[in-house]
């Protein structure tokens, strides 16, 4: 929890001091991704995995920027990456989350011109985020030791993923629904449509009941989170206050992940809205428009994720009843 709060707050403080708060959000987001990709293994394994994850994700950003003007190649890249996410589900969180966030950042970079226009600054803040996280990780590790939780290597997990032929239909369906989600977002002119695809990749589980349950929890948590965040934003929009709110939301997210998935989404939704309020590079109207934007994208993603699960496992319900 301490690491999560520091990983999000430190890049924002540096950006505020350098008068680059909007682009510093990129580094803050990378810090949050680092905590979601971390695990409780030996320190050397954690550092190596975090550096590997950072390299994969920053590569995804670069590919996204290159493919931003070529919609066909972008769709092909998203299809391939979504397929890989589907193949990795159930093998281990290390590989799955690394591929997931690489895919998300690929899409985000392809649709956010502010990243392409300030790539070197974004790269600086993402590098600063990684470095500061690793330093804080070493300090916290020395103070608060814990039993290592050994994980399989990502290379071994990837080999297992390709040998599992029974997951091909599920992975192909997830890839197809991801492309459909992006197409829908573009067709409907949904702002930040990559949230739709990200939700599909998260809630579409290799089990019908899990997908329904996770979709409901994500919607519930997002609804509660955006309402609370909107009220807090209305009470005060001072940059330092927003930075403090971002750090607090990031601090509480690991606690929510341990307790319940819907509770984690309360803090994640709040963090995203605080990020949007800080960036605010496009004017918005009303007190709850950012909340409605987030809910619309998450709701569409949950719906498409459920439909994808029903397509991938049409006989699942019948088999479980028999």
């Amino acid at each position: 929890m301490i690491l999560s709060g520091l990983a999000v707050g430190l890049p924002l403080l540096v950006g505020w001091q350098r008068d680059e708060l909007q682009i510093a959000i990129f580094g803050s987001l990378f810090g949050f991704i680092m905590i979601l990709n971390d695990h409780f293994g030996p320190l050397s394994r954690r550092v190596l995995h975090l550096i590997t994850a950072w390299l994969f994700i920053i590569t995804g950003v670069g590919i996204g920027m290159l493919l931003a003007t070529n919609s066909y190649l972008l769709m092909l890249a998203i299809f391939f990456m979504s397929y890989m996410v589907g193949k990795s589900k159930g093998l281990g969180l290390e590989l799955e989350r690394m591929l997931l966030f690489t895919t998300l950042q690929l899409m985000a970079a392809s649709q956010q011109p502010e990243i392409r226009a300030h790539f070197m600054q974004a790269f600086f803040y993402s590098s600063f985020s990684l470095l500061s996280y690793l330093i804080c990780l070493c300090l916290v590790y020395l103070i608060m030791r814990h039993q290592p939780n050994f994980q399989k290597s990502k290379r071994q997990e990837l080999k297992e993923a390709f040998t599992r032929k029974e997951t091909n239909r599920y992975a192909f369906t997830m890839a197809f629904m991801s492309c459909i989600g992006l197409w829908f977002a573009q067709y409907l002119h949904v702002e930040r449509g990559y949230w739709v695809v990200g939700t599909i990749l998260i809630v579409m589980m290799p089990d019908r009941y899990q997908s329904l349950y996770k979709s409901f929890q994500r919607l519930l948590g997002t609804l509660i989170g955006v309402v609370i965040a909107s009220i807090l934003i209305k009470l005060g929009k001072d940059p330092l206050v927003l930075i403090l709110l971002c750090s607090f939301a990031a601090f509480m997210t690991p606690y929510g992940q341990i307790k319940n998935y819907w509770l984690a989404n309360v803090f994640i939704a709040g963090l995203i809205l605080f990020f949007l309020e800080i960036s605010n590079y496009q004017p918005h109207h009303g007190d709850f428009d950012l909340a409605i934007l987030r809910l619309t994208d998450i709701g569409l993603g949950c719906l498409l994720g459920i439909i994808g699960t029903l397509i991938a496992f049409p006989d699942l319900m019948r088999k479980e009843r028999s």
Side-chain angles (χ1 to χ4, degrees):
M1 293 174 67
I2 296 174
L3 275 173
S4 184
L6 290 174
V8 169
L10 287 177
L12 292 176
L13 285 174
V14 172
W16 175 68
Q17 291 180 339
R18 291 167 55 94
D19 197 24
E20 297 174 342
L21 188 55
Q22 293 181 349
I23 198 65
I25 294 174
F26 188 78
S28 186
L29 179 61
F30 256 72
F32 188 64
I33 291 174
M34 289 297 101
I35 194 66
L36 294 178
N37 276 270
D38 200 0
H39 61 81
F40 291 102
L43 181 61
S44 59
R45 285 281 303 277
R46 292 174 72 175
V47 171
L48 180 60
H49 169 66
L50 288 168
I51 294 175
T52 303
W54 183 87
L55 289 172
F56 266 77
I57 295 167
I58 202 70
T59 300
V61 172
I63 294 174
M65 290 190 297
L66 290 174
L67 300 181
T69 57
N70 193 320
S71 58
Y72 295 106
L73 287 179
L74 178 61
M75 281 289 186
L76 184 62
I78 291 173
F79 185 92
F80 173 76
M81 291 301 299
S82 300
Y83 173 80
M84 293 300 299
V85 173
K87 292 290 288 184
S88 67
K89 288 228 175 180
L91 289 177
L93 289 178
E94 283 194 8
L95 178 63
E96 179 186 334
R97 287 184 176 177
M98 187 175 71
L99 293 174
L100 171 64
F101 285 107
T102 300
T103 306
L104 293 178
Q105 289 304 305
L106 188 156
M107 287 185 294
S110 70
Q111 298 182 49
Q112 289 185 282
E114 67 272 19
I115 295 179
R116 299 194 296 273
H118 303 90
F119 175 72
M120 292 308 300
Q121 292 170 295
F123 182 81
F124 164 76
Y125 281 106
S126 67
S127 303
F128 171 79
S129 177
L130 174 66
L131 181 61
S132 61
Y133 184 85
L134 292 178
I135 293 174
C136 292
L137 171 63
C138 293
L139 293 176
V140 172
Y141 186 87
L142 292 174
I143 298 172
M144 304 173 63
R145 290 185 173 273
H146 48 72
Q147 288 296 112
N149 178 20
F150 293 96
Q151 307 285 328
K152 290 184 292 186
S153 69
K154 290 179 288 298
R155 184 179 301 176
Q156 182 181 351
E157 290 177 353
L158 194 60
K159 288 181 179 179
E160 291 183 21
F162 277 111
T163 58
R164 294 194 307 170
K165 295 183 179 180
E166 68 276 8
T167 61
N168 283 337
R169 177 174 179 143
Y170 166 71
F172 272 118
T173 305
M174 174 179 283
F176 176 74
M177 296 306 297
S178 297
C179 292
I180 290 293
L182 182 59
W183 179 84
F184 259 118
Q186 293 175 342
Y187 179 77
L188 299 174
H189 301 289
V190 176
E191 187 179 343
R192 299 181 185 272
Y194 54 88
W195 285 346
V196 177
V197 182
T199 299
I200 294 171
L201 296 175
I202 292 172
V203 304
M204 190 174 166
M205 305 295 291
D207 180 275
R208 181 179 297 186
Y209 294 118
Q210 287 184 12
S211 292
L212 291 171
Y213 186 57
K214 198 164 189 177
S215 297
F216 172 75
Q217 286 189 312
R218 187 166 177 83
L219 278 173
L220 176 64
T222 300
L223 175 61
I224 297 173
V226 296
V227 170
I228 295 175
S230 296
I231 295 173
L232 292 174
I233 289 172
K234 188 177 180 180
L235 294 176
K237 298 184 179 182
D238 182 87
L240 286 178
V241 174
L242 290 173
I243 291 173
L244 181 62
L245 290 173
C246 287
S247 300
F248 177 75
F251 176 80
M252 293 301 298
T253 297
Y255 173 79
Q257 288 179 309
I258 295 173
K259 289 295 183 180
N260 201 299
Y261 183 67
W262 74 266
L263 184 58
N265 273 277
V266 171
F267 298 116
I268 292 174
L271 177 62
I272 297 298
L273 253 69
F274 298 143
F275 279 161
L276 289 176
E277 185 61 37
I278 290 175
S279 64
N280 199 18
Y281 66 95
Q282 292 179 341
H284 55 87
H285 307 283
D287 297 327
F288 294 96
D289 58 325
L290 294 179
I292 294 172
L293 168 64
R294 179 71 177 176
L295 278 172
T296 300
D297 289 352
I298 298 302
L300 180 57
C302 287
L303 175 62
L304 293 175
I306 292 172
I307 293 173
T309 304
L310 298 178
I311 295 173
F313 301 100
D315 300 325
L316 183 60
M317 189 81 74
R318 190 183 308 123
K319 289 180 180 179
E320 290 181 350
R321 287 177 177 176
S322 62

